[in-house]
Amino acid sequence: MTATKDAFFNATKMSARDKAEATDHTARAIIADEAKLREKKTEKLKALRLQRQAEAEPELPAPKRKRKVSIKSAGQ
């Protein structure tokens, strides 16, 4: 079998509409895959964060400080 240009190149031309549809389909597939991966990553990170929060000791709120009254303002 000899190599000819017909073996490597498509003899028929695609219309502009067909090219646009192929590009649109490919782009939408890529975007959908990326969104799926992003959602999967978000779920994984959320699960890890919730697990870390469950394992951590609960933080107690800091006690409120009483205001110190300065001598100048108290004596007036």
Side-chain angles (χ1 to χ4, degrees), residues 17-48:
R17 174 179 259 163
D18 292 340
K19 285 182 184 180
E21 286 178 7
T23 302
D24 184 57
H25 176 71
T26 304
R28 288 183 188 272
I30 291 170
I31 291 169
D33 288 342
E34 289 175 350
K36 201 181 304 180
L37 289 173
R38 185 173 51 250
E39 289 172 8
K40 188 176 180 182
K41 180 180 176 181
T42 302
E43 289 175 9
K44 180 181 176 183
L45 291 173
K46 183 177 180 180
L48 289 172

